[in-house]
Amino acid sequence: MIQNHLLQVLAVVAMEPPAIFDSESIRNESVKVLQALRPINPEDVSQYVVRGQYIGTEVNDVLQKGYRQEDGVASNSKTETFVAMKLFVDNWRWSEVPFYIRTGKQLPNRVTEVVIHLKPAPHMLFKQGGVHSNNMIILRIHPDAGVAVDFGMKIPGAGYKVQNVNMAFHYSDLAESKISEAYERLLLDCMIGDSTLYARADAVKASWKFVDPILQTWKDNPEIPLYFYECNTWGPNESNSLFNVKGMKWHPPFSKFKTN
């Protein structure tokens, strides 16, 4: 999921605008992002990457098996079913801006979502107790594709208290017919010769160049922790350690969009 899905999403979000809107130009720009990923040195893997594995849990009065209880899985398996990562894109635009990605199995919902935190203004007039509102753009990819903006608004009346409000747009509101599922769209693009959403060979090579050293470090250093998490949760709490900002943690899916 990291190598062939999430890094592709990251590349599209972080790429520069293409000169023209065609398949080759878009893929030219996205591969530049993958080639600019800062390598994670073996000694830093534990600092920038958290891996986990789901364990047996009672969900809605039903006992859900843990990964090690699944058919064909070794009782001492250290295969990760959850990964969270902090990474950097070393180029002019994104220098020292952290990107956070996570993916896992047996989470509460199957959701693909991008949350963009906007940089605070240098001088914030409206704040309460020293805490600033958190302005965000949310890009929902699946399900219920859409775009939302979450921003701080001063509460009417005396004082300077700020409350977060939001506006959400759903692509289904524009569609005249059913929106294609992900692989339906890919199959159609293949038939009409549109390669925009397909990973090019140089992009695949760049993403594996980034991911392979992490996998090799886990293989060579079995003492690196594998954290356990219960089914129907958002992964091990240790994944919040990737944030070095007080009070920052992973966001649950944006509530204005549907989940499945």
Side-chain angles (χ1 to χ4, degrees), residues 217-236:
T217 299
W218 286 340
K219 182 178 179 180
D220 295 341
N221 301 274
E223 72 279 4
I224 293 177
L226 174 71
Y227 299 104
F228 297 105
Y229 63 98
E230 295 184 343
C231 299
N232 208 41
T233 67
W234 290 106

Side-chain angles (χ1 to χ4, degrees), residues 10 58 60 102 120 125 137 151 153 171 176 200 213 246:
L10 183 152
E58 189 172 293
N60 297 326
R102 66 171 175 172
L125 291 176
I137 299 173
F151 57 96
M153 177 70 71
Y171 277 102
E176 297 179 355
R200 207 166 58 188
K246 185 178 179 181

